[in-house]
Short mmCIF file of all heavy atoms in Angstrom, two decimals:
data_model
loop_
_atom_site.label_atom_id
_atom_site.label_comp_id
_atom_site.label_asym_id
_atom_site.label_seq_id
_atom_site.Cartn_x
_atom_site.Cartn_y
_atom_site.Cartn_z
N LYS A 403 30.29 60.50 -75.64
CA LYS A 403 29.61 60.06 -74.41
C LYS A 403 30.01 58.63 -74.07
O LYS A 403 30.25 58.29 -72.92
CB LYS A 403 28.10 60.16 -74.60
CG LYS A 403 27.34 60.00 -73.30
CD LYS A 403 25.90 60.38 -73.51
CE LYS A 403 25.12 60.27 -72.24
NZ LYS A 403 23.70 60.56 -72.48
N TRP A 404 30.12 57.81 -75.09
CA TRP A 404 30.55 56.41 -74.90
C TRP A 404 31.94 56.37 -74.26
O TRP A 404 32.19 55.60 -73.35
CB TRP A 404 30.54 55.72 -76.27
CG TRP A 404 31.19 54.38 -76.34
CD1 TRP A 404 30.71 53.20 -75.86
CD2 TRP A 404 32.46 54.06 -76.93
NE1 TRP A 404 31.56 52.18 -76.13
CE2 TRP A 404 32.66 52.67 -76.79
CE3 TRP A 404 33.43 54.82 -77.59
CZ2 TRP A 404 33.80 52.02 -77.26
CZ3 TRP A 404 34.57 54.18 -78.07
CH2 TRP A 404 34.75 52.79 -77.91
N ILE A 405 32.84 57.28 -74.74
CA ILE A 405 34.17 57.32 -74.12
C ILE A 405 34.05 57.76 -72.66
O ILE A 405 34.64 57.17 -71.76
CB ILE A 405 35.09 58.29 -74.90
CG1 ILE A 405 35.33 57.79 -76.33
CG2 ILE A 405 36.41 58.47 -74.15
CD1 ILE A 405 36.05 58.80 -77.23
N SER A 406 33.24 58.80 -72.44
CA SER A 406 33.21 59.39 -71.10
C SER A 406 32.53 58.47 -70.09
O SER A 406 32.73 58.61 -68.90
CB SER A 406 32.49 60.74 -71.13
OG SER A 406 31.09 60.54 -71.28
N LEU A 407 31.71 57.55 -70.58
CA LEU A 407 31.00 56.66 -69.64
C LEU A 407 31.82 55.43 -69.26
O LEU A 407 31.30 54.49 -68.66
CB LEU A 407 29.66 56.23 -70.24
CG LEU A 407 28.55 57.29 -70.21
CD1 LEU A 407 27.33 56.81 -71.01
CD2 LEU A 407 28.14 57.63 -68.78
N PHE A 408 33.10 55.42 -69.61
CA PHE A 408 33.96 54.30 -69.21
C PHE A 408 33.87 54.11 -67.69
O PHE A 408 33.99 55.07 -66.94
CB PHE A 408 35.41 54.58 -69.63
CG PHE A 408 36.33 53.43 -69.38
CD1 PHE A 408 36.23 52.27 -70.12
CD2 PHE A 408 37.29 53.49 -68.36
CE1 PHE A 408 37.07 51.20 -69.89
CE2 PHE A 408 38.14 52.42 -68.12
CZ PHE A 408 38.03 51.27 -68.88
N GLY A 409 33.64 52.90 -67.28
CA GLY A 409 33.45 52.64 -65.84
C GLY A 409 31.98 52.53 -65.48
O GLY A 409 31.64 52.08 -64.38
N ASN A 410 31.10 52.96 -66.37
CA ASN A 410 29.65 52.85 -66.13
C ASN A 410 29.04 52.07 -67.29
O ASN A 410 28.32 52.61 -68.12
CB ASN A 410 29.06 54.26 -66.01
CG ASN A 410 27.59 54.22 -65.59
OD1 ASN A 410 26.99 53.15 -65.49
ND2 ASN A 410 27.02 55.39 -65.37
N GLY A 411 29.38 50.79 -67.35
CA GLY A 411 28.96 49.94 -68.45
C GLY A 411 27.47 49.97 -68.72
O GLY A 411 27.06 50.11 -69.88
N PRO A 412 26.61 49.84 -67.71
CA PRO A 412 25.17 49.79 -67.99
C PRO A 412 24.65 51.03 -68.70
O PRO A 412 23.84 50.94 -69.63
CB PRO A 412 24.55 49.64 -66.59
CG PRO A 412 25.61 48.97 -65.79
CD PRO A 412 26.91 49.51 -66.31
N GLU A 413 25.12 52.21 -68.29
CA GLU A 413 24.64 53.43 -68.94
C GLU A 413 25.19 53.53 -70.36
O GLU A 413 24.48 53.90 -71.30
CB GLU A 413 25.02 54.66 -68.10
CG GLU A 413 24.53 56.00 -68.64
CD GLU A 413 23.01 56.09 -68.79
OE1 GLU A 413 22.29 55.30 -68.16
OE2 GLU A 413 22.54 56.97 -69.56
N ALA A 414 26.46 53.16 -70.55
CA ALA A 414 27.04 53.18 -71.88
C ALA A 414 26.30 52.22 -72.81
O ALA A 414 26.03 52.54 -73.97
CB ALA A 414 28.52 52.80 -71.81
N TYR A 415 25.93 51.07 -72.26
CA TYR A 415 25.20 50.06 -73.03
C TYR A 415 23.82 50.58 -73.45
O TYR A 415 23.38 50.42 -74.60
CB TYR A 415 25.09 48.81 -72.17
CG TYR A 415 24.35 47.64 -72.78
CD1 TYR A 415 24.69 47.14 -74.04
CD2 TYR A 415 23.33 47.00 -72.06
CE1 TYR A 415 24.01 46.05 -74.57
CE2 TYR A 415 22.66 45.91 -72.58
CZ TYR A 415 22.99 45.43 -73.83
OH TYR A 415 22.34 44.36 -74.36
N ALA A 416 23.16 51.27 -72.52
CA ALA A 416 21.83 51.81 -72.83
C ALA A 416 21.96 52.88 -73.92
O ALA A 416 21.19 52.91 -74.89
CB ALA A 416 21.18 52.39 -71.58
N GLU A 417 22.94 53.77 -73.77
CA GLU A 417 23.07 54.86 -74.73
C GLU A 417 23.51 54.36 -76.11
O GLU A 417 23.10 54.89 -77.13
CB GLU A 417 24.05 55.90 -74.17
CG GLU A 417 23.45 56.73 -73.05
CD GLU A 417 22.30 57.62 -73.52
OE1 GLU A 417 21.16 57.11 -73.56
OE2 GLU A 417 22.54 58.79 -73.88
N TRP A 418 24.36 53.32 -76.12
CA TRP A 418 24.74 52.73 -77.41
C TRP A 418 23.50 52.19 -78.13
O TRP A 418 23.32 52.37 -79.33
CB TRP A 418 25.77 51.60 -77.20
CG TRP A 418 25.94 50.76 -78.43
CD1 TRP A 418 26.60 51.11 -79.57
CD2 TRP A 418 25.42 49.44 -78.65
NE1 TRP A 418 26.53 50.10 -80.50
CE2 TRP A 418 25.81 49.06 -79.95
CE3 TRP A 418 24.66 48.56 -77.87
CZ2 TRP A 418 25.46 47.82 -80.50
CZ3 TRP A 418 24.33 47.33 -78.41
CH2 TRP A 418 24.71 46.97 -79.71
#
Side-chain angles (χ1 to χ4, degrees):
Chain A
K403 192 168 181 184
W404 169 75
I405 296 171
S406 74
L407 284 172
F408 185 70
N410 187 355
E413 182 59 19
Y415 179 53
E417 286 294 86
W418 166 74

